[in-house]
Amino acid sequence: MATDVFEMGDIDIAWCPGCGNFPILKTLKETLTELAIDPKQLVMVSGIGQAAKIPHYLKCHFFNGLHGRALPPATAIKAVNPKLTVIAESGDGDMYGEGGNHFIHCIRRNPDITNIVHDNMVYGLTKGQASPTSRRGFKTPVQVAGVILEPFNPLAVAIALDASFVARASSGDREQTKEILKRAIRHKGYALVDIFQPCVTFNKLNTYQWFKDHVYYLDDSHDPSDRTAAFARATETDRLPLGVFYVHPKDSFEENTQMYREDKRPLCERDVDVGRLAALIDTFKMAG
Amino acid sequence: MKDPKGMATRRDVSIVLCGQAGQGVQTVETLLTRILKTAGYHVFATKEYMSRVRGGANSTTIRVSGKRVSALVDRMDVLVPLNAGAVAHVAERLSPQTVVVGEREVVADEAIESNRTLAVPFTEIATEIGGKIYSNVVAVGAVAGLLGLDLDAVATYVQRFFAKKSSEIVANNVKAVQGGFDAIGKLDVPNEIRLTFKPSAKVNDELLLSGAEAVGLGAIAGGCNFVSSYPMSPSTGVLTFLAQHGLEQGVLAEQAEDEIAAINMAIGASYAGARAMVTTSGGGFALMTEGVSLAGMLECPVVIHLAQRPGPATGLPTRTEQADLELALYAGHGEFPRILFAPGTLEQAFYLTQKAFNLADKYQVPAFILTDQHLMDSYYNLKAFDPARTKVEKHIVKTTKDYRRYELTRNGISPRGIPGYGSGLVAVDSDEHDEEGHITEDLDVRVAMVDKRLAKGEALRKDIVRPELVGPKDYKRLVICWGSTYHVVKEALGEMGRTDTAMLHYSQVYPLHPSTADLIGKARKTVAVEGNATGQFRKLIRLHAGVDVDEGLVKYDGLGFTVEDVVEGLTEIINHQ
């Protein structure tokens, strides 16, 4: 597969120079290329924010919707046409803040989609307020005395909800991130990949160096099928582990709806069955 | 107490059943309407109920007739109170002509002026058969006896109705209906209550369904294959209906975590090529407004069923109102076109819901079905819907390599592609976008895109449903109504017998049909009848048709208009003119 298949050519990218989003974009393109995903079968879904602009920088179908609302349409797109590869990608504010309720329920629903979250622990597009994952004490123009809320722990929440696939990566390490993304996209069911990403403009606390000093990779001794161990790792705060925390293969939302149990055609290719409708209407003649 | 207003000439019998939630009023309504319809009588039933699962006082009004009957009346020819509080709940509707059937302690209520009370020991009969639980079926038997129905036919129906239960339960229900029937036979029954209308085999062949079912069937006929909603009275019936028939009819029905998810899912489904719908009520719809705006911007077809109930906020959760017209009209920030249907009859509920899917698809806009609790919960018999009269019109194109989702066209309608069909890429964006769907801050492109979206609003004007004029074409007075008040206004005008007055009913309330200014302008006096306090449709007519409606007859106590309400209200207005 040609390596430039997802390239948009010379376009104006709205991210700051040095932004952690660039390596994620590059890594994602390589991942998709190496997985030989056909851009005509790929739908990128995002919400609002700087990370949410990523579909515009990839040559593919996309649905760039509302703030926090990437997961409901992504779920529906996959359910209506399971042949498509669906990736919902946005920032931590979008997915965990505005979209927190959808995040929880999307895990419960388990659609076969990949959820990539650019986690820079700050709101970039609105100029530097705290995000749900901001560390305590982080000072911003709004959180003037420092953040007093506990940071949201997406991995622990996802594992608590028995998510199908839970991983964390760091934009600074493109090779490992690519391997994690490949596993996530290949995985059947909901796959969360939280990617640490420095915001060079608004987050002077969680810098490239900070991430380097505060992360380590899970090694082979970690068993991703062990939910208790995965949860324990997800709640570590001293140094933050990277890698695939938890994998629990199970039926996807689309499979569980039974819409494809007998008829394999995507919903979008089906027509009204007039005979069945007429039979249903008839039942109202002799209501039993 | 309301004056029966010369309705003593009995063209129909109005039977009211009233009891606590959980006493089986619903079962009695279901059984009686079906028994009557099976016997060849025209029936209508509607209920009013409290927002609670047990206790309180709920009632259902059933009208049975030899002719079509589809509106609510205050008049009670027969009242069946199922508990002590029931009589007080409907006391205003009692007249000296009302025959009251019930337990001795209940019919002895001082509110009952009539001496036409028939004491039937429902509970005692039920207990002898097998338990108190059968009392409501004893009441069905009593009403059947009162109306002079054929006991064998009634028993046969009851047997069929409970067929899925154990043989003991079936047998007990048959005994219960017989018990009620026999008890009435022993009493001195006023003769005029017995049905004298000629039953018709044709009625038997018709449908008997509710507004919720009519909307649900219309959605299936419209090709709906995706519905996502959060339950909220009175809209839930449509979700339930589609969920129950989803697998067999090819509709994916999903209960979303909230209304915001529901509409965003529906829009995503539509983007992927589904015919998508949400069903909700005012409070839920308030949450959906960002999604309505998104549908407007993405130019994504979506059908929104909005079953109105009184607001603001949680309002009266189980009651009816027509006060969300302005909400639906203006919901969503920014400017973009939309379509608002407001079916008045069950036929319209079916055919307009079907049509809403076609028009939403054709113009790539949100299309609304505005109903209300009254329409959702009303049942009557009507001619079978004909799926052959409906056609699913799809407007999806196979994309080519150079496909642009928002291609600028003369009528504003860009060919709509879906991902995976064709060789092009389908890109949609909630930000202002260029023809390819990419974010733009080019202000000239912005203007071109606004013009394009609004041009669709002009284009869709050629598909506006004409309002229905009922009555003399050379009317001097015109009564204007919309949505679920169709039958009640029509019957009231029939009652009044005025040859100078016609009814104009709108089943599409936006955009307004271009005939509006002429039709209203040529009347000397006009009145708008609507179920809200501020005359929302009257305002809409003034704003969008440029004509004033002289008077308004409004109701906003949470109950639907009755024929008597409309007759009284219109008479008063006419006398003052």
Side-chain angles (χ1 to χ4, degrees), chain A residues 8 39-48 52-53 55-67 69-81 84 98 101-103 105-106 108-109 253-254 257-261 267-288, chain B residues 34 37-38 157 160-161 204-209 213 217 220-226 241 245-252 254-258 260-261 264-269 271-274 290-291 294 298 300 350 384-388 392 394 418-420 422-431 436-439:
Chain A
M8 288 294 290
K40 291 194 292 295
Q41 293 295 321
L42 171 67
V43 181
M44 293 291 297
V45 186
S46 69
I48 296 299
K53 289 176 179 159
H56 290 280
Y57 310 144
L58 271 173
K59 207 162 195 171
C60 61
H61 302 284
F62 69 79
F63 182 108
N64 185 184
L66 296 173
H67 192 33
R69 316 297 174 215
L71 294 173
T75 301
I77 291 164
K78 184 68 182 182
V80 167
N81 189 352
L84 301 169
E98 194 86 36
N101 198 29
H102 309 310
F103 175 68
H105 293 280
C106 186
R108 294 181 54 226
R109 213 169 258 123
F253 171 66
E254 312 81 79
T257 65
Q258 309 212 347
M259 296 309 293
Y260 299 102
R261 192 179 56 182
L267 285 183
C268 58
E269 291 175 17
R270 300 188 199 178
D271 289 312
V272 179
D273 186 328
V274 179
R276 283 187 180 183
L277 172 60
L280 176 58
I281 292 173
D282 263 358
T283 62
F284 289 92
K285 289 182 181 170
M286 294 301 291
Chain B
R34 290 171 181 190
K37 190 238 173 197
T38 306
Y157 190 85
R160 209 177 75 203
F161 185 80
N204 202 329
D205 212 34
E206 292 192 342
L207 308 179
L208 176 63
L209 41 62
E213 289 160 338
L217 287 172
I220 296 169
C224 174
N225 49 19
F226 190 96
F241 180 84
H245 300 286
L247 205 52
E248 133 218 338
Q249 301 290 335
V251 186
L252 197 169
E254 176 64 359
Q255 182 177 320
E257 56 270 28
D258 55 34
I260 297 170
N264 278 280
M265 274 187 194
I267 293 169
Y271 164 79
E290 64 160 19
L294 179 67
L298 299 190
C300 222
F350 176 79
F385 302 135
D386 181 6
V392 173
K394 288 192 177 177
I418 59 170
S423 52
L425 295 175
V426 184
V428 298
D429 197 277
S430 65
D431 272 70
E436 284 184 349
H438 285 289
I439 291 179

Side-chain angles (χ1 to χ4, degrees), chain B residues 186-443:
Chain B
K186 291 179 193 137
L187 300 170
D188 188 11
V189 174
N191 249 333
E192 73 273 17
I193 293 295
R194 300 178 74 85
L195 300 186
T196 52
F197 338 114
K198 221 171 136 224
S200 150
K202 274 187 193 159
V203 170
N204 202 329
D205 212 34
E206 292 192 342
L207 308 179
L208 176 63
L209 41 62
S210 71
E213 289 160 338
V215 168
L217 287 172
I220 296 169
C224 174
N225 49 19
F226 190 96
V227 60
S228 47
S229 285
Y230 188 87
M232 184 172 186
S233 292
S235 70
T236 315
V238 174
L239 176 64
T240 310
F241 180 84
L242 290 172
Q244 283 172 357
H245 300 286
L247 205 52
E248 133 218 338
Q249 301 290 335
V251 186
L252 197 169
E254 176 64 359
Q255 182 177 320
E257 56 270 28
D258 55 34
E259 285 86 352
I260 297 170
I263 192 154
N264 278 280
M265 274 187 194
I267 293 169
S270 173
Y271 164 79
R275 307 265 278 196
M277 164 183 212
V278 294
T279 175
T280 188
S281 296
F285 181 69
L287 287 173
M288 289 187 177
T289 54
E290 64 160 19
V292 177
S293 191
L294 179 67
M297 187 53 138
L298 299 190
E299 304 191 43
C300 222
V302 64
V303 174
I304 298 157
H305 172 239
L306 170 49
Q308 300 164 96
R309 73 186 213 191
T314 314
L316 292 169
T318 61
R319 303 298 179 181
T320 200
E321 199 161 78
Q322 293 183 295
D324 292 338
L325 172 60
E326 288 174 345
L327 175 67
L329 185 62
Y330 296 116
H333 48 291
E335 298 168 301
F336 55 93
R338 68 189 74 201
I339 297 168
L340 267 66
F341 290 123
T345 68
L346 299 186
E347 284 94 340
Q348 288 174 354
F350 176 79
Y351 290 106
L352 290 178
T353 303
Q354 196 276 338
K355 193 183 177 80
F357 282 89
N358 284 343
L359 293 186
D361 239 44
K362 184 173 178 184
Y363 297 107
Q364 304 170 24
V365 294
F368 291 77
I369 319 291
L370 268 180
T371 65
D372 51 32
Q373 182 266 329
H374 178 71
L375 188 85
M376 284 290 98
D377 289 334
S378 290
Y379 288 79
Y380 55 84
N381 60 289
L382 74 167
K383 285 193 187 119
F385 302 135
D386 181 6
R389 262 182 64 194
T390 65
K391 186 173 174 291
V392 173
E393 296 162 10
K394 288 192 177 177
H395 300 272
I396 293 170
V397 299
K398 193 169 185 173
T399 58
T400 51
K401 233 175 148 49
D402 59 348
Y403 176 75
R404 286 168 302 159
R405 174 67 190 86
Y406 298 110
E407 186 188 332
L408 293 170
T409 60
R410 187 182 286 264
N411 62 5
I413 302 168
S414 314
R416 174 168 157 249
I418 59 170
Y421 182 54
S423 52
L425 295 175
V426 184
V428 298
D429 197 277
S430 65
D431 272 70
E432 192 55 273
H433 41 253
D434 60 18
E435 287 181 277
E436 284 184 349
H438 285 289
I439 291 179
T440 184
E441 293 194 52
D442 180 322
L443 304 185

